[in-house]
């Protein structure tokens, strides 16, 4: 469905699989069987600030109390699993940890800024759940995943391989009154971590001994077998090399697709300019000067 993330299921993505299963199961358990325990997982910043209930920064930011948020965030985590395959589970976990910690700080700063500059007092309870790191993943998704056009609609508007994921993120963004605070905090934390600002990626990271421990204890539980229908490619000496080979193959395929699409579009633009009476050489020169903008190229030819 979402071509930008591959079609190998949860193969080589044990952390993504655990984030899909465990929080979702706990969210359903609280909603259906233990509704009286939901108060323990409320993300109440006023209680953290005034009553020093620091534990709410952990409990309130792991499990979603709204099943709609659970569903949307789970779909996004599934589609963002490509980053675990590309960078490895340890680096992916470090990104999630760093954005999770930084977003808590940004939550406080945004609420205090709203009250100080605009006199707006936000609700005491923000949306609960592992939401900020999900929004933070949109930063590397926007920066590092190539955009491939799938269909053209309404002139300049087009559907790409990333459109449905952005729509899903917008659905999560509009699911509650104050979820925009969590979303902005997540995007800011993702930008800080992805750009290596203030060297936070070196401070907020998973130690190697901890990564080895979880790899030994939990990875066998959440690992998935390789799909038998997936075509095999040249295998490297280590799993990291194999993962890199697969990602390089995917990047090459996306690059070739973009190149072919751009070439077809350029040929169509040249044909349209030639239909207007311009020579092929003039059409090519005008498109080159206008960065392949058909309207600008047409005006350029008409004026010269």
């Amino acid at each position: 469905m979402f071509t930008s993330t591959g079609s190998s299921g949860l193969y080589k993505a044990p952390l993504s699989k655990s984030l899909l299963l465990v929080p979702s199961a706990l969210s359903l358990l609280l909603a259906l069987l233990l509704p009286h325990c939901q108060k323990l997982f409320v993300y109440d910043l006023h209680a953290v600030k005034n009553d020093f209930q620091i534990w709410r920064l952990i409990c309130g930011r792991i499990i979603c109390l709204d099943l709609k948020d659970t569903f949307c965030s789970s779909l996004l985590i599934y589609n963002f699993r490509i980053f675990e395959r590309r960078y490895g589970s340890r680096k992916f976990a470090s990104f999630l940890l760093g954005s999770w910690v930084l977003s808590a700080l940004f939550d406080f700063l945004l609420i205090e800024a709203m009250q100080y500059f605009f006199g707006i007092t936000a609700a005491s309870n923000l949306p609960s759940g592992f939401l900020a790191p999900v929004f933070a993943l949109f930063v590397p998704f926007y920066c590092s995943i190539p955009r491939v056009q799938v269909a053209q609609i309404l002139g300049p508007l087009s559907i790409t391989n990333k459109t449905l994921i952005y729509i899903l993120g917008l659905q999560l963004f509009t699911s509650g009154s104050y979820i925009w605070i969590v979303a902005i905090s997540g995007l800011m934390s993702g930008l800080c971590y992805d750009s290596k600002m203030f060297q936070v990626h070196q401070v907020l990271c998973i130690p190697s001994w901890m990564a080895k421990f979880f790899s030994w204890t939990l990875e066998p539980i959440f690992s998935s077998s390789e799909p038998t229908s997936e075509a095999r490619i040249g295998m490297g000496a280590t799993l990291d090399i194999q993962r890199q080979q697969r990602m390089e193959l995917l990047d090459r395929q996306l690059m070739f697709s973009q190149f072919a699409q751009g070439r077809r579009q350029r040929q169509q633009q040249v044909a349209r300019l030639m239909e207007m009476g311009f020579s092929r050489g003039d059409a090519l020169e005008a498109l080159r000067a206008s960065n392949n903008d058909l309207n600008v190229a047409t005006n350029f030819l008409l004026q010269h």
Side-chain angles (χ1 to χ4, degrees):
M1 182 178 180
F2 299 129
T3 59
S4 65
T5 58
S7 57
S8 302
L10 290 166
Y11 176 60
K12 292 186 178 179
L15 178 58
S16 300
K17 186 176 182 179
S18 65
L19 291 175
L20 281 173
L21 297 179
V22 177
S24 299
L26 293 176
S27 181
L28 287 172
L29 183 65
L30 288 173
L32 301 178
L33 302 179
L34 302 172
H36 58 281
C37 295
Q38 288 187 347
K39 60 183 179 181
L40 299 175
F41 298 92
V42 172
Y43 186 24
D44 189 347
L45 284 181
H46 288 180
V48 175
K49 179 181 177 181
N50 300 327
D51 301 331
F52 299 102
Q53 297 181 6
I54 307 300
W55 55 272
R56 288 193 179 275
L57 288 175
I58 300 176
C59 296
R61 306 179 68 242
I62 295 179
I63 302 173
C64 291
L65 298 182
D66 190 328
L67 293 182
K68 299 190 300 295
D69 294 347
T70 302
F71 179 74
C72 290
S73 60
S74 297
L75 285 178
L76 288 171
I77 289 173
Y78 178 78
N79 284 281
F80 289 148
R81 73 199 186 281
I82 187 174
F83 296 114
E84 184 175 3
R85 294 180 187 157
R86 176 175 293 189
Y87 304 127
S89 297
R90 180 189 174 189
K91 188 173 181 180
F92 182 63
S94 296
F95 180 91
L96 295 178
L97 173 65
S99 58
W100 187 75
V101 173
L102 289 174
S103 60
L105 174 62
F106 287 131
D107 286 342
F108 275 105
L109 293 177
L110 284 174
I111 289 180
E112 293 298 326
M114 286 173 55
Q115 187 171 3
Y116 181 80
F117 291 106
F118 305 104
I120 301 175
T121 302
S124 59
N125 298 340
L126 292 181
S128 302
F130 198 70
L131 300 176
V134 173
F135 284 108
L137 285 168
F138 274 99
V139 175
F141 179 74
Y142 175 80
C143 297
S144 62
I145 300 299
R147 178 178 177 270
V148 179
Q149 181 175 323
V150 177
Q152 189 81 20
I153 58 172
L154 298 177
L157 298 179
S158 61
I159 296 178
T160 70
N161 59 324
K162 303 168 72 172
T163 300
L164 292 178
I165 300 179
Y166 286 133
I167 293 176
L168 190 59
L170 183 62
Q171 171 66 32
L172 183 60
F173 182 83
T174 57
S175 64
S177 300
Y178 290 99
I179 197 171
W180 64 269
I181 297 178
V182 178
I184 293 177
S185 298
L187 292 173
M188 292 171 61
S189 63
L191 184 62
C192 290
Y193 201 93
D194 192 62
S195 62
K196 300 179 180 179
M197 189 178 300
F198 306 120
Q199 302 298 315
V200 292
H201 67 288
Q202 295 182 357
V203 179
L204 300 174
C205 64
I206 303 296
S208 58
W209 63 267
M210 185 178 295
K212 292 179 181 178
F213 174 78
F214 285 114
S215 176
W216 178 66
T217 56
L218 297 182
E219 187 171 346
I221 300 175
F222 294 105
S223 61
S224 300
S225 58
E226 182 178 6
T228 55
S229 60
E230 185 177 6
R232 294 182 179 272
I233 63 172
M235 304 301 287
T238 66
L239 291 178
D240 290 337
I241 296 177
Q242 295 172 21
R243 184 184 295 111
Q244 184 64 30
Q245 288 176 335
R246 293 180 183 278
M247 295 314 306
E248 289 176 353
L249 176 63
L250 177 61
D251 291 340
R252 285 197 300 269
Q253 291 173 345
L254 292 174
M255 182 181 64
F256 290 150
S257 175
Q258 286 179 312
F259 176 78
Q261 179 185 352
R263 187 174 181 179
R264 288 194 301 269
Q265 184 178 4
R266 186 180 181 86
Q267 291 174 348
Q268 293 173 357
Q269 291 174 334
V270 172
R272 292 187 61 180
L273 291 174
M274 292 179 64
E275 290 174 358
M276 298 179 188
F278 303 108
S279 66
R280 179 179 179 83
D282 291 341
L284 289 172
E285 183 180 355
L287 287 172
R288 190 180 301 111
S290 62
N291 196 21
N292 295 325
D293 190 313
L294 183 61
N295 294 328
V296 176
T298 304
N299 293 333
F300 177 83
L301 291 171
L302 292 174
Q303 294 174 4
H304 297 78

